Amino acid sequence: MNLDINALLDLAKSQRATIATAESCTGGMIAAALTDIPGSSSVVDRGFVTYSNAAKMQMLGVSAETLKDFGAVSEETAREMADGALRAAGTTLAVSVTGIAGPGGSEHKPEGRVCFGLAQNGEQTQTELVDFGALGRDKVRLASRDHALALLQRALERRDA
């Protein structure tokens, strides 16, 4: 799939869809990529940068139990982040990302492991785990940004079909 942010925004505008982001390891890069485009304010409602567990709980309603049982880098946390962003913003779509950009990681959660969530009104929230590998912090963050944008684009294309 060819990522075209202008086309993503145009498709969202044509559907009168709105978007919120919930970001951890990308630190706002998804929202920035969307809002770099003039006219994006008709689509992008807000972005949550929830780097700490406390922020995930306070701003998005991620449960302490989820964080304790599965950790911040998990599909369960990504799901709750996306659901929380959708609920708090009242948008049509919300995408979330939480991962280990590096350097570092562990045997169970290696560098480059990133979890994504995509919440939409009236549909079950989808999650994905992607292991980008130890590409280095900058490349993992960029790959995560692009993957989240592609998730949004595919969701909008499905809604348009």
Side-chain angles (χ1 to χ4, degrees), residues 26-75:
T26 50
M29 293 172 69
I30 302 163
L34 291 167
T35 59
D36 278 346
I37 309 297
S40 60
S41 61
S42 63
V43 171
V44 180
D45 181 77
R46 68 189 79 182
F48 298 92
V49 176
T50 56
Y51 211 66
S52 70
N53 286 350
K56 288 174 182 65
M57 291 186 291
Q58 291 166 2
M59 296 173 72
L60 300 173
V62 174
S63 77
E65 292 77 24
T66 297
L67 291 165
K68 179 177 156 278
D69 293 346
F70 302 102
V73 180
S74 65
E75 289 183 78

Side-chain angles (χ1 to χ4, degrees), residues 72-76 78 96-99 113-117 128-130:
V73 180
S74 65
E75 289 183 78
E76 292 82 3
S96 67
V97 60
T98 181
R113 177 163 293 171
V114 183
C115 298
F116 299 87
E128 284 185 24
L129 184 152
V130 178

Side-chain angles (χ1 to χ4, degrees), residues 7 10 54 59 80 151 154 160:
D10 288 343
M59 296 173 72
E80 290 187 22
L151 287 174
R154 282 195 300 272
D160 206 40

Side-chain angles (χ1 to χ4, degrees), residues 58-136:
Q58 291 166 2
M59 296 173 72
L60 300 173
V62 174
S63 77
E65 292 77 24
T66 297
L67 291 165
K68 179 177 156 278
D69 293 346
F70 302 102
V73 180
S74 65
E75 289 183 78
E76 292 82 3
T77 295
R79 177 184 317 280
E80 290 187 22
M81 288 173 67
D83 288 343
L86 189 73
R87 184 176 51 253
T91 53
T92 312
L93 298 147
V95 67
S96 67
V97 60
T98 181
I100 301 173
S106 69
E107 178 185 343
H108 300 292
K109 294 191 180 175
E111 178 179 332
R113 177 163 293 171
V114 183
C115 298
F116 299 87
L118 180 73
Q120 302 180 64
N121 284 327
E123 293 194 28
Q124 186 174 6
T125 301
Q126 303 299 307
T127 62
E128 284 185 24
L129 184 152
V130 178
D131 278 314
F132 292 110
L135 306 173

